[in-house]
Amino acid sequence: AQSVTQLDSQVPVFEEAPVELRCNYSSSVSVYLFWYVQYPNQGLQLLLKYLSGSTLVKGINGFEAEFNKSQTSFHLRKPSVHISDTAEYFCAVRKAGTALIFGKGTTLSVSS
Amino acid sequence: DAGVIQSPRHEVTEMGQEVTLRCKPISGHNSLFWYRQTMMRGLELLIYFNNNVPIDDSGMPEDRFSAKMPNASFSTLKIQPSEPRDSAVYFCASQNPSGGLTDTQYFGPGTRLTVL
């Protein structure tokens, strides 16, 4: 069975600092990987997705993620965060015939 | 496009009452998903439909929960009778048919349900 582990439940950072949100997945078959963001009192919005090809994926709002097959990881990064990046971030995995499986989420808190 | 529309945005009810949550997917999307989000369990898939047909309802907690999709533009999630442990935010999402497995799911704003 598939599963997704987000290693940090909360990540506090200062504005303009770099950030990495970690995600590991377990699956015996090839999967597709996603990062979603949820701003307060809103639904989820797709940040980026890895389907195939280049392992470095660029998304919206300056975020990027790197797929590492050997480490079964898909960590999300941003070189310089803003206050407006404060939100909850979800890693998700999907394989053929199934719906998305989400991690528990990581709360990113950016302060000045 | 207006995006995925959910109603109501907030619902407060008493234990034992029937609750109906509604969802209107993005026009042209033929896959629809219902999720539940709680602090304890995170975001869980309850059920999803393709072309109005339920494909996987293994996430539906128990018989008190039921979901329907009578046409391509409307779906309901019903809880009868409701219990305090059903309190959560319920999300609906829809997906474009052309992209298949890899395409993006678009989420609605959610319904925050509180059962007293």
Side-chain angles (χ1 to χ4, degrees), chain A residues 30-32 34 36 38 41-46 49-51 88 90 94-105, chain B residues 9 33 35 37 39-45 48 55-56 89 91 95 100-110 112:
Chain A
S30 295
V31 295
Y32 303 105
F34 305 78
Y36 280 81
Q38 184 180 26
N41 299 313
Q42 294 187 26
L44 278 71
Q45 177 184 357
L46 183 71
K49 58 185 176 183
Y50 172 77
L51 310 177
E88 187 144 15
F90 292 92
R94 187 173 185 185
K95 67 176 179 71
T98 72
L100 285 169
I101 306 296
F102 285 91
K104 289 288 181 73
Chain B
R9 293 293 310 275
F33 306 79
Y35 293 90
Q37 185 179 36
M39 289 291 291
M40 291 297 293
R41 300 172 68 91
L43 200 61
E44 304 171 279
L45 176 70
Y48 80 94
I55 302 300
D56 182 357
V89 181
F91 288 103
Q95 181 173 313
L101 181 69
T102 61
D103 213 38
T104 301
Q105 290 185 22
Y106 293 86
F107 281 74
R112 182 175 295 277

Coordinates of all heavy atoms in Angstrom, one line a residue, chain A residues 30-32 34 36 38 41-46 49-51 88 90 94-105, chain B residues 9 33 35 37 39-45 48 55-56 89 91 95 100-110 112:
Chain A
S30 N 5.6 2.6 -9.7 CA 5.8 4.0 -10.0 C 4.6 4.8 -9.6 O 3.5 4.4 -9.7 CB 6.1 4.2 -11.5 OG 7.3 3.5 -11.9
V31 N 4.9 6.0 -9.1 CA 3.8 6.9 -8.7 C 4.0 8.3 -9.2 O 5.1 8.6 -9.7 CB 3.7 7.0 -7.1 CG1 3.3 5.6 -6.5 CG2 5.0 7.5 -6.5
Y32 N 3.0 9.1 -9.1 CA 3.0 10.5 -9.4 C 3.0 11.3 -8.1 O 2.2 10.8 -7.2 CB 1.9 10.9 -10.4 CG 1.9 10.1 -11.6 CD1 1.0 9.1 -11.8 CD2 2.8 10.3 -12.6 CE1 1.0 8.3 -13.0 CE2 2.8 9.6 -13.8 CZ 1.9 8.6 -14.0 OH 1.9 7.8 -15.1
F34 N 2.8 15.0 -5.8 CA 2.2 16.3 -5.9 C 2.5 17.1 -4.5 O 2.7 16.4 -3.5 CB 0.7 16.2 -6.0 CG 0.2 15.4 -7.2 CD1 0.2 14.0 -7.2 CD2 -0.3 16.1 -8.3 CE1 -0.3 13.3 -8.2 CE2 -0.8 15.3 -9.4 CZ -0.7 13.9 -9.4
Y36 N 0.5 20.2 -2.6 CA -0.6 21.2 -2.5 C -0.4 22.1 -1.4 O 0.2 21.8 -0.4 CB -1.9 20.4 -2.3 CG -2.6 19.8 -3.5 CD1 -2.1 18.6 -4.0 CD2 -3.6 20.4 -4.2 CE1 -2.7 18.0 -5.1 CE2 -4.2 19.9 -5.3 CZ -3.7 18.7 -5.8 OH -4.3 18.1 -6.9
Q38 N -2.5 24.9 1.3 CA -3.8 25.3 1.8 C -3.7 26.5 2.7 O -3.1 26.5 3.7 CB -4.5 24.2 2.6 CG -5.9 24.5 3.1 CD -6.5 23.3 4.0 OE1 -5.7 22.6 4.6 NE2 -7.8 23.3 4.0
N41 N -8.5 28.8 5.9 CA -10.0 28.8 5.5 C -10.2 28.7 4.0 O -11.2 29.2 3.5 CB -10.6 30.1 6.0 CG -10.6 30.2 7.5 OD1 -10.8 29.2 8.2 ND2 -10.1 31.3 8.0
Q42 N -9.3 28.1 3.3 CA -9.5 27.8 1.9 C -9.3 26.4 1.5 O -8.8 25.6 2.4 CB -8.5 28.7 1.1 CG -8.7 30.2 1.2 CD -7.8 31.0 0.3 OE1 -7.3 30.5 -0.7 NE2 -7.5 32.2 0.7
G43 N -9.6 26.0 0.3 CA -9.3 24.7 -0.2 C -7.9 24.5 -0.6 O -7.1 25.4 -0.5
L44 N -7.6 23.3 -1.1 CA -6.2 23.0 -1.5 C -6.0 23.5 -2.9 O -6.8 23.5 -3.7 CB -5.9 21.5 -1.4 CG -5.6 21.0 0.0 CD1 -6.8 21.0 0.9 CD2 -5.0 19.6 -0.2
Q45 N -4.7 24.0 -3.1 CA -4.3 24.5 -4.5 C -3.0 23.8 -4.9 O -2.1 23.6 -4.0 CB -4.1 26.0 -4.4 CG -3.6 26.6 -5.6 CD -3.4 28.1 -5.4 OE1 -3.6 28.7 -4.3 NE2 -2.9 28.8 -6.4
L46 N -3.0 23.3 -6.1 CA -1.8 22.6 -6.6 C -0.6 23.6 -6.7 O -0.7 24.6 -7.3 CB -2.0 22.0 -7.9 CG -0.9 21.2 -8.5 CD1 -0.7 19.9 -7.7 CD2 -1.1 20.8 -10.0
K49 N 3.8 19.3 -9.5 CA 3.6 17.9 -9.6 C 4.8 17.3 -10.4 O 5.3 17.9 -11.3 CB 2.3 17.5 -10.2 CG 2.0 18.1 -11.6 CD 0.6 17.7 -12.1 CE 0.3 18.4 -13.4 NZ -1.1 18.1 -13.9
Y50 N 5.1 16.1 -10.0 CA 6.1 15.3 -10.7 C 5.4 14.1 -11.4 O 4.8 13.3 -10.8 CB 7.2 14.8 -9.8 CG 8.1 13.8 -10.6 CD1 9.1 14.3 -11.4 CD2 8.0 12.5 -10.4 CE1 9.9 13.5 -12.1 CE2 8.8 11.6 -11.1 CZ 9.8 12.1 -12.0 OH 10.6 11.2 -12.7
L51 N 5.6 14.1 -12.7 CA 5.0 13.0 -13.5 C 6.0 12.1 -14.1 O 6.0 10.9 -14.0 CB 4.1 13.6 -14.6 CG 3.1 14.7 -14.2 CD1 2.4 15.2 -15.4 CD2 2.1 14.1 -13.2
E88 N -0.6 25.7 5.1 CA -0.3 24.3 5.4 C 0.0 23.7 4.0 O -0.6 24.0 3.0 CB -1.5 23.6 6.0 CG -1.2 22.2 6.4 CD -1.9 21.7 7.7 OE1 -2.8 22.5 8.1 OE2 -1.5 20.7 8.2
F90 N 0.8 20.1 1.8 CA 0.5 18.7 1.7 C 1.2 18.0 0.6 O 1.1 18.5 -0.6 CB -1.0 18.4 1.6 CG -1.9 18.8 2.7 CD1 -2.4 20.1 2.8 CD2 -2.1 18.0 3.8 CE1 -3.2 20.5 3.9 CE2 -2.9 18.3 4.9 CZ -3.4 19.6 4.9
R94 N 0.1 9.4 -6.0 CA -1.0 8.7 -6.8 C -0.5 7.7 -7.7 O 0.5 8.0 -8.4 CB -1.8 9.8 -7.5 CG -3.1 9.3 -8.2 CD -3.9 10.4 -8.7 NE -5.2 9.9 -9.3 CZ -6.0 10.6 -9.9 NH1 -5.8 11.9 -10.1 NH2 -7.2 10.1 -10.4
K95 N -1.1 6.6 -7.8 CA -0.7 5.6 -8.8 C -1.9 5.2 -9.6 O -3.1 5.6 -9.2 CB 0.0 4.4 -8.2 CG -0.8 3.5 -7.3 CD 0.0 2.3 -6.9 CE -0.8 1.4 -6.0 NZ -1.8 0.7 -6.7
A96 N -1.7 4.4 -10.6 CA -2.8 4.0 -11.5 C -3.9 3.3 -10.7 O -3.7 2.5 -9.9 CB -2.2 3.0 -12.5
G97 N -5.1 3.8 -11.0 CA -6.3 3.2 -10.4 C -6.6 3.6 -9.0 O -7.6 3.1 -8.4
T98 N -5.9 4.6 -8.5 CA -6.2 5.1 -7.2 C -6.4 6.6 -7.2 O -6.0 7.3 -8.1 CB -5.1 4.7 -6.2 OG1 -4.0 5.6 -6.5 CG2 -4.7 3.3 -6.3
A99 N -6.9 7.1 -6.1 CA -7.0 8.5 -5.9 C -5.8 9.0 -5.1 O -5.0 8.2 -4.8 CB -8.3 8.9 -5.2
L100 N -5.7 10.3 -4.9 CA -4.6 10.9 -4.2 C -4.6 10.3 -2.8 O -5.6 10.2 -2.1 CB -4.7 12.4 -4.2 CG -4.4 13.1 -5.4 CD1 -4.8 14.6 -5.3 CD2 -2.9 13.1 -5.7
I101 N -3.3 10.1 -2.3 CA -3.1 9.8 -0.9 C -2.3 10.9 -0.3 O -1.2 11.2 -0.8 CB -2.3 8.5 -0.7 CG1 -3.0 7.3 -1.4 CG2 -2.2 8.2 0.8 CD1 -4.4 7.0 -0.8
F102 N -2.8 11.6 0.7 CA -2.2 12.8 1.2 C -1.4 12.5 2.5 O -1.7 11.6 3.3 CB -3.2 13.8 1.6 CG -3.8 14.6 0.4 CD1 -4.9 14.1 -0.2 CD2 -3.2 15.7 -0.1 CE1 -5.5 14.7 -1.3 CE2 -3.8 16.4 -1.1 CZ -4.9 15.9 -1.7
G103 N -0.3 13.2 2.7 CA 0.4 13.2 4.0 C -0.4 14.0 5.0 O -1.4 14.6 4.7
K104 N 0.1 14.1 6.2 CA -0.6 14.7 7.3 C -0.5 16.3 7.2 O -1.2 17.0 8.0 CB -0.1 14.2 8.7 CG -0.5 12.8 9.0 CD -2.0 12.7 9.3 CE -2.5 11.3 9.6 NZ -2.0 10.9 11.0
G105 N 0.4 16.7 6.4 CA 0.6 18.2 6.3 C 1.7 18.7 7.1 O 2.0 18.2 8.2
Chain B
R9 N -21.0 26.7 3.5 CA -19.6 26.8 3.9 C -19.4 26.4 5.4 O -18.4 25.9 5.8 CB -19.2 28.3 3.7 CG -19.1 28.7 2.3 CD -18.0 28.0 1.5 NE -16.7 28.0 2.3 CZ -15.8 29.0 2.2 NH1 -16.0 30.0 1.4 NH2 -14.7 28.9 2.8
F33 N -14.5 14.1 -6.2 CA -13.9 13.4 -5.0 C -14.5 14.1 -3.8 O -14.6 15.4 -3.8 CB -12.4 13.6 -5.0 CG -11.7 13.1 -6.2 CD1 -11.7 13.8 -7.4 CD2 -11.1 11.9 -6.2 CE1 -11.0 13.4 -8.6 CE2 -10.4 11.4 -7.4 CZ -10.4 12.1 -8.5
Y35 N -13.5 14.5 0.3 CA -12.5 14.3 1.3 C -13.0 14.9 2.6 O -13.8 15.8 2.7 CB -11.2 15.1 0.9 CG -10.4 14.6 -0.3 CD1 -10.7 15.1 -1.5 CD2 -9.4 13.7 -0.2 CE1 -10.0 14.7 -2.7 CE2 -8.7 13.2 -1.3 CZ -9.0 13.8 -2.5 OH -8.3 13.3 -3.6
Q37 N -11.3 16.4 6.3 CA -10.0 16.8 7.0 C -10.3 17.0 8.5 O -11.1 17.8 8.8 CB -9.5 18.1 6.3 CG -8.2 18.6 6.9 CD -7.7 19.8 6.2 OE1 -8.5 20.7 5.8 NE2 -6.4 19.9 6.0
M39 N -8.0 17.2 12.4 CA -6.6 17.4 13.0 C -6.0 16.0 13.2 O -4.8 15.8 13.0 CB -6.7 18.1 14.3 CG -7.1 19.6 14.2 SD -5.7 20.5 13.4 CE -4.5 20.5 14.7
M40 N -6.8 15.1 13.7 CA -6.3 13.8 14.1 C -5.9 12.9 12.9 O -4.8 12.3 12.9 CB -7.3 13.0 14.9 CG -7.5 13.6 16.3 SD -6.0 13.6 17.3 CE -5.8 11.8 17.5
R41 N -6.7 12.9 11.8 CA -6.5 12.0 10.7 C -6.0 12.6 9.5 O -5.8 11.9 8.5 CB -7.8 11.2 10.5 CG -8.3 10.4 11.7 CD -9.7 9.9 11.5 NE -9.7 8.9 10.4 CZ -9.5 7.6 10.7 NH1 -9.3 7.1 11.9 NH2 -9.5 6.7 9.7
G42 N -5.9 14.0 9.5 CA -5.5 14.6 8.2 C -6.6 14.6 7.2 O -7.7 14.7 7.5
L43 N -6.1 14.6 5.9 CA -7.0 14.6 4.8 C -7.3 13.2 4.3 O -6.4 12.5 3.8 CB -6.4 15.5 3.7 CG -7.3 16.1 2.6 CD1 -8.3 17.0 3.2 CD2 -6.4 16.8 1.6
E44 N -8.5 12.8 4.3 CA -8.9 11.4 3.9 C -9.8 11.4 2.8 O -10.8 12.2 2.8 CB -9.6 10.7 5.1 CG -8.9 10.6 6.4 CD -9.8 10.1 7.5 OE1 -10.6 10.9 8.0 OE2 -9.7 8.9 7.8
L45 N -9.6 10.5 1.8 CA -10.6 10.4 0.7 C -11.8 9.6 1.2 O -11.6 8.5 1.8 CB -9.9 9.7 -0.5 CG -10.9 9.3 -1.6 CD1 -11.3 10.6 -2.3 CD2 -10.2 8.3 -2.6
Y48 N -15.0 8.6 -4.5 CA -14.8 9.4 -5.7 C -15.7 8.7 -6.8 O -15.9 7.5 -6.9 CB -13.4 9.6 -6.1 CG -12.6 8.5 -6.8 CD1 -12.6 8.5 -8.2 CD2 -11.9 7.6 -6.1 CE1 -11.8 7.5 -8.9 CE2 -11.1 6.7 -6.7 CZ -11.1 6.6 -8.1 OH -10.3 5.7 -8.7
I55 N -16.7 5.0 -7.9 CA -15.6 4.1 -8.2 C -15.0 3.5 -7.0 O -14.7 2.3 -6.9 CB -14.5 4.8 -9.0 CG1 -15.1 5.4 -10.3 CG2 -13.3 3.9 -9.3 CD1 -15.7 4.4 -11.2
D56 N -14.8 4.3 -6.0 CA -14.1 3.8 -4.7 C -14.8 4.5 -3.6 O -14.6 5.7 -3.4 CB -12.6 4.1 -4.8 CG -11.9 3.5 -3.6 OD1 -12.6 3.0 -2.6 OD2 -10.7 3.7 -3.5
V89 N -13.8 19.3 8.4 CA -14.0 20.1 7.1 C -14.1 19.1 6.0 O -13.2 18.2 5.9 CB -12.9 21.1 6.9 CG1 -13.1 21.9 5.6 CG2 -12.7 22.1 8.1
F91 N -14.2 18.5 2.0 CA -13.8 19.1 0.7 C -14.4 18.3 -0.4 O -14.4 17.0 -0.4 CB -12.3 19.2 0.6 CG -11.7 20.2 1.5 CD1 -11.0 19.9 2.6 CD2 -11.7 21.6 1.1 CE1 -10.4 20.8 3.4 CE2 -11.2 22.5 1.9 CZ -10.5 22.1 3.1
Q95 N -11.9 16.9 -11.3 CA -10.8 16.7 -12.2 C -11.2 16.7 -13.7 O -12.2 16.1 -14.0 CB -10.1 15.4 -11.8 CG -8.8 15.1 -12.6 CD -8.1 13.9 -12.0 OE1 -7.9 13.8 -10.8 NE2 -7.8 13.0 -12.9
G100 N -6.4 12.3 -17.3 CA -6.3 11.0 -16.7 C -5.7 11.1 -15.3 O -5.9 12.0 -14.6
L101 N -4.9 10.1 -15.1 CA -4.3 9.9 -13.7 C -3.5 11.1 -13.3 O -3.4 11.5 -12.1 CB -3.4 8.7 -13.7 CG -2.7 8.3 -12.4 CD1 -3.8 7.9 -11.4 CD2 -1.7 7.2 -12.6
T102 N -2.8 11.8 -14.2 CA -1.8 12.8 -13.8 C -2.4 14.2 -13.7 O -1.7 15.1 -13.4 CB -0.7 12.8 -14.8 OG1 -1.2 13.1 -16.1 CG2 0.0 11.5 -14.9
D103 N -3.7 14.3 -14.0 CA -4.2 15.6 -14.1 C -4.5 16.2 -12.7 O -4.6 15.5 -11.7 CB -5.5 15.7 -15.0 CG -5.6 17.0 -15.7 OD1 -4.6 17.5 -16.2 OD2 -6.7 17.5 -15.8
T104 N -4.7 17.5 -12.7 CA -4.9 18.2 -11.4 C -6.3 18.1 -10.9 O -7.3 18.2 -11.6 CB -4.5 19.7 -11.6 OG1 -3.2 19.7 -12.1 CG2 -4.6 20.4 -10.3
Q105 N -6.4 17.9 -9.6 CA -7.6 18.0 -8.9 C -7.8 19.4 -8.4 O -6.9 20.0 -7.8 CB -7.7 17.1 -7.7 CG -7.8 15.6 -8.1 CD -8.0 14.7 -6.9 OE1 -8.4 15.1 -5.8 NE2 -7.6 13.4 -7.1
Y106 N -9.0 20.0 -8.6 CA -9.3 21.3 -8.1 C -10.3 21.2 -7.0 O -11.3 20.6 -7.1 CB -10.0 22.1 -9.3 CG -9.0 22.4 -10.4 CD1 -8.8 21.5 -11.4 CD2 -8.3 23.6 -10.5 CE1 -7.9 21.7 -12.5 CE2 -7.4 23.8 -11.5 CZ -7.2 22.9 -12.5 OH -6.3 23.1 -13.5
F107 N -9.9 21.9 -5.9 CA -10.6 21.7 -4.6 C -11.6 22.9 -4.4 O -11.3 24.0 -4.8 CB -9.7 21.7 -3.4 CG -9.0 20.3 -3.2 CD1 -8.0 19.9 -4.1 CD2 -9.4 19.5 -2.2 CE1 -7.4 18.7 -3.9 CE2 -8.9 18.3 -2.0 CZ -7.8 17.9 -2.9
G108 N -12.7 22.6 -3.8 CA -13.6 23.6 -3.4 C -13.1 24.2 -2.0 O -12.2 23.7 -1.5
P109 N -13.8 25.2 -1.5 CA -13.4 25.9 -0.3 C -13.7 25.1 1.0 O -13.2 25.4 2.0 CB -14.2 27.2 -0.3 CG -15.4 26.9 -1.1 CD -15.0 25.9 -2.1
G110 N -14.5 24.1 0.8 CA -14.8 23.2 2.0 C -16.1 23.6 2.7 O -16.5 24.8 2.7
R112 N -17.3 23.5 6.7 CA -16.9 23.2 8.1 C -18.1 22.7 8.8 O -19.1 23.5 9.0 CB -16.3 24.4 8.7 CG -15.8 24.1 10.1 CD -15.1 25.4 10.7 NE -13.9 25.7 10.0 CZ -12.7 25.1 10.2 NH1 -12.6 24.2 11.2 NH2 -11.6 25.4 9.5

